[in-house]
Amino acid sequence: MEKKNETINEEELKETEDTEEENTLSEETEETIEDSNSEEVEEEKDPVELLQEKLEKEENKYLKLYAEFENYKRRSREEAERNNKYKNQSLATDLLSVLDNLERALQETGDSESFESLHKGVEMVYKDFLNKLEVNGITQIQALDEPFDPNYHQAVMAESKDGVEAGIVIEELQKGYLLKDRVIRPSMVKVSE
């Protein structure tokens, strides 16, 4: 009888093991089926996602390139404006010596009638010359009785003067000039101590 019970127990044990194996196999099969279904869904998403990622990358490249091109256009435009604004600088610098000579000629004095008429003619040329320079954006730097500014003035002498506080321009030795907003020649000045 014990043998019979043992046999029955062994058979039950085998059946239980078989059932467990079947359950495990069916679970694995279900997981495999689910995995394959999810892979199919992922495979369907992957091309779309890949295309979207690629599209985003290409859009970013396009936007960066567009921004670079706009910056290039802006820089080129600014450079052209700057070159156009200061195109007369070398001519203006060369003409300043002529202007200085006209100022020196006006400082000369004489008594004769011919000298007076010559002086008047030089003065007219000088004024006309200044007007033409101003029309082209070339102006004199105001220096006399102004506070010393190293951006516009070049101090070549210093002297103490009664009634004048320190750092004030007391004499202009050579006039300075601006082209628009750029100094083309600073004023040579004497400054109070």
Side-chain angles (χ1 to χ4, degrees):
M1 192 107 165
E2 267 185 47
K3 269 190 174 180
K4 204 174 185 186
N5 276 342
E6 277 181 27
T7 311
I8 292 175
N9 281 340
E10 282 179 19
E11 286 177 9
E12 286 177 5
L13 188 61
K14 277 185 180 180
E15 284 178 13
T16 307
E17 285 177 359
D18 287 343
T19 309
E20 285 178 2
E21 277 182 31
E22 286 176 9
N23 286 340
T24 305
L25 282 175
S26 68
E27 285 176 11
E28 287 177 2
T29 307
E30 286 177 15
E31 286 177 9
T32 305
I33 291 172
E34 286 177 13
D35 284 346
S36 66
N37 284 340
S38 67
E39 284 178 8
E40 288 175 10
V41 171
E42 284 180 16
E43 286 177 10
E44 290 175 12
K45 285 183 181 178
D46 280 345
V48 172
E49 287 178 7
L50 289 174
L51 287 174
Q52 285 178 340
E53 288 175 11
K54 189 173 183 180
L55 178 63
E56 286 177 14
K57 286 180 184 176
E58 294 301 319
E59 282 179 345
N60 286 337
K61 282 166 98 177
Y62 168 75
L63 291 175
K64 287 178 183 177
L65 185 62
Y66 182 76
E68 285 179 21
F69 182 66
E70 287 298 316
N71 287 336
Y72 168 76
K73 285 187 347 187
R74 179 185 49 80
R75 282 191 308 268
S76 297
R77 185 176 53 248
E78 288 173 355
E79 185 177 334
E81 288 172 0
R82 188 173 42 251
N83 288 340
N84 192 32
K85 185 176 182 179
Y86 300 116
K87 68 183 177 188
N88 296 331
Q89 183 170 349
S90 63
L91 175 64
T93 305
D94 292 341
L95 292 178
L96 292 182
S97 63
V98 175
L99 193 60
D100 292 338
N101 289 332
L102 286 173
E103 288 173 355
R104 285 186 200 101
L106 288 173
Q107 291 173 355
E108 294 297 319
T109 57
D111 294 335
S112 70
E113 200 174 300
S114 63
F115 180 82
E116 288 297 322
S117 62
L118 179 63
H119 191 270
K120 193 172 193 175
V122 171
E123 188 175 353
M124 288 172 48
V125 170
Y126 175 73
K127 286 180 181 178
D128 188 42
F129 197 63
L130 279 179
N131 288 335
K132 298 296 185 212
L133 290 176
E134 283 183 25
V135 166
N136 287 291
I138 301 165
T139 56
Q140 289 182 358
I141 296 173
Q142 298 303 316
L144 197 58
D145 298 327
E146 296 287 325
F148 175 75
D149 184 351
N151 296 316
Y152 298 105
H153 307 131
Q154 179 182 358
V156 292
M157 298 174 74
E159 182 180 292
S160 54
K161 188 173 180 182
D162 293 335
V164 179
E165 55 185 81
I168 301 294
V169 175
I170 55 175
E171 186 179 341
E172 186 176 39
L173 304 172
Q174 184 181 40
K175 291 184 179 179
Y177 292 90
L178 295 170
L179 173 61
K180 314 271 188 210
D181 55 354
R182 182 184 286 180
V183 175
I184 55 175
R185 184 174 80 184
S187 298
M188 286 172 133
V189 296
K190 184 190 291 187
V191 183
S192 63
E193 292 182 309

